[in-house]
Amino acid sequence: MIPVIALLVGGFLSLALVGLARRYPPGRERRVYAVGIVIAALVYVGFGVAGGASAPWLALEILGVLLYGAAAWGGLRGRLWLLALGWAAHVAWDVLLHLSGAGAEYMPHWYPWLCVSFDLVMAGAVLASTRRGDTDLRGTA
């Protein structure tokens, strides 16, 4: 039951963020999505620090921040396909690293489920923004 509730809460939170982002012009909307993915990655570092994760595991979480930061940067540079891919790939980060194994040791069990729905909605929102005229998937205006 907990995963279902977490999925619903994640979907609701992401829709709230998308609603906020869409109040801005396309360039600023894109910034919200880009900053959001970096924050999503930083949350895992925070949980790792608070939960006493090992140094190698924290290094992996920081690598995630760098990878998702690169996706954010690509999105800010007009390559929204890269930002959408980053959000979609973050689902794998949630499931593969934090539902079981070392990441699950310091992660609340409901949090990766919340992130799965959040990340998928965000990936869809980035793709939808291209259809509304922000920029096409190749990054041209």
Side-chain angles (χ1 to χ4, degrees), residues 1-7 44 47 94-95 98-100 103-116:
M1 184 66 151
I2 297 281
V4 173
I5 293 170
L7 287 167
Y44 283 104
F47 275 125
D94 303 324
V95 172
H98 299 97
L99 279 179
S100 61
E105 293 176 15
Y106 58 83
M107 187 65 48
H109 67 281
W110 52 266
Y111 191 78
W113 291 111
L114 181 142
C115 287
V116 165

Side-chain angles (χ1 to χ4, degrees), residues 20-35:
L20 173 71
R22 288 192 175 169
R23 297 179 121 182
Y24 296 110
R28 285 194 156 188
E29 178 184 358
R30 188 179 336 143
R31 281 188 212 135
V32 171
Y33 300 144
V35 168

Side-chain angles (χ1 to χ4, degrees), residues 35-85:
V35 168
I37 196 169
V38 173
I39 291 172
L42 283 169
V43 166
Y44 283 104
V45 174
F47 275 125
V49 169
S54 68
W57 194 262
L58 285 175
L60 179 64
E61 297 289 10
I62 292 168
L63 175 63
V65 173
L66 296 174
L67 291 172
Y68 296 110
W73 180 253
L76 290 173
R77 305 291 295 169
R79 291 169 181 79
L80 287 177
W81 65 269
L82 189 57
L83 183 55
L85 179 64

Side-chain angles (χ1 to χ4, degrees), residues 75-141:
L76 290 173
R77 305 291 295 169
R79 291 169 181 79
L80 287 177
W81 65 269
L82 189 57
L83 183 55
L85 179 64
W87 275 111
H90 199 257
V91 173
W93 193 265
D94 303 324
V95 172
L96 297 175
L97 299 179
H98 299 97
L99 279 179
S100 61
E105 293 176 15
Y106 58 83
M107 187 65 48
H109 67 281
W110 52 266
Y111 191 78
W113 291 111
L114 181 142
C115 287
V116 165
S117 58
F118 189 93
D119 295 347
L120 289 174
V121 171
M122 296 308 294
V126 172
L127 290 175
S129 73
T130 67
R131 300 196 76 192
R132 289 192 330 277
D134 183 359
T135 164
D136 73 16
L137 291 177
R138 293 180 305 275
T140 57

